Amino acid sequence: MMLRIPHKQSGSVLMISLVMLVMLTLFVLTVINTTNINARIARNMQTEGEAEAAAQQLIETVISTTQFITTPANAIINPCGANNTLCTDINGDGVTDYTTRLIPQPACVTARGIKLSELVLTNPVDLACSAGQSQQFGTAGAVTGDSLCANSVWEITAVTTSADSAATATVTQGVGVRIATDDMATSCL
């Protein structure tokens, strides 16, 4: 029977195991960091989308009435805090998440009076442009050939800021509107 004498161990398995454990720990930390970054990116994209939606909502609210034509400095029917300001509560908790302002106020970019000869008098909208003003020569606009209406183009810009982050969104939209020539004289300089 032969006796075995234990050999002296060098500990290389232990060292390899420790190196592998460190590498595995670094890999896990990298995955966690990447996940956190991706979550922040997704949150920022959601905030940006909500801010753009709030700005678009304000523009749609403004162009759904004619108040922006007659009083561009007070274009919103029920402003929040100040004129031309709309507060939006996205999650329904009663706290304002986004504040949107019309900056600058709605502006008439261009306007052109409509000639009486361009009107289709069978159309009720066009018919309203030809009547309603007494002149000494009969039909409204008979001297100049102008009707009581004008075609105008307005530019509306809404700027939204988030209440809990530095996110902002700006949406600019143009809208063509038929207006009275009186409004053209006062709003479209």
Side-chain angles (χ1 to χ4, degrees):
M1 191 154 126
M2 198 167 182
L3 272 174
R4 290 194 164 208
I5 299 174
H7 294 291
K8 199 173 186 182
Q9 295 183 6
S10 64
S12 63
V13 172
L14 180 61
M15 290 303 288
I16 292 172
S17 297
L18 287 175
V19 169
M20 293 298 283
L21 186 59
V22 168
M23 288 176 51
L24 185 61
T25 303
L26 290 174
F27 176 72
V28 168
L29 289 175
T30 302
V31 168
I32 290 171
N33 192 26
T34 302
T35 303
N36 287 340
I37 289 171
N38 287 341
R40 279 191 228 139
I41 290 170
R43 191 172 29 248
N44 287 344
M45 288 176 63
Q46 178 180 356
T47 302
E48 180 184 343
E50 289 174 349
E52 286 178 9
Q56 190 62 46
Q57 176 189 2
L58 177 60
I59 289 175
E60 295 297 326
T61 300
V62 168
I63 64 175
S64 67
T65 70
T66 58
Q67 187 165 338
F68 75 96
I69 297 168
T70 55
T71 56
N74 188 19
I76 301 171
I77 293 175
N78 293 317
C80 149
N83 287 347
N84 288 343
T85 303
L86 182 69
C87 296
T88 305
D89 176 14
I90 296 288
N91 54 13
D93 63 355
V95 177
T96 298
D97 296 313
Y98 297 94
T99 303
T100 309
R101 292 177 178 83
L102 295 177
I103 302 172
Q105 70 185 24
C108 180
V109 177
T110 183
R112 183 187 69 80
I114 302 171
K115 298 291 183 188
L116 283 170
S117 60
E118 298 172 4
L119 299 176
V120 178
L121 298 180
T122 56
N123 181 344
V125 175
D126 283 357
L127 186 59
C129 292
S130 67
Q133 176 177 320
S134 60
Q135 293 183 350
Q136 50 180 246
F137 298 106
T139 307
V143 173
T144 61
D146 292 335
S147 71
L148 297 175
C149 297
N151 288 324
S152 64
V153 176
W154 291 74
E155 186 173 278
I156 302 171
T157 300
V159 178
T160 300
T161 54
S162 173
D164 61 352
S165 71
T168 62
T170 302
V171 176
T172 301
Q173 183 171 328
V175 61
V177 181
R178 181 174 281 188
I179 60 174
T181 53
D182 291 344
D183 289 332
M184 181 177 76
T186 57
S187 299
C188 300
L189 303 173

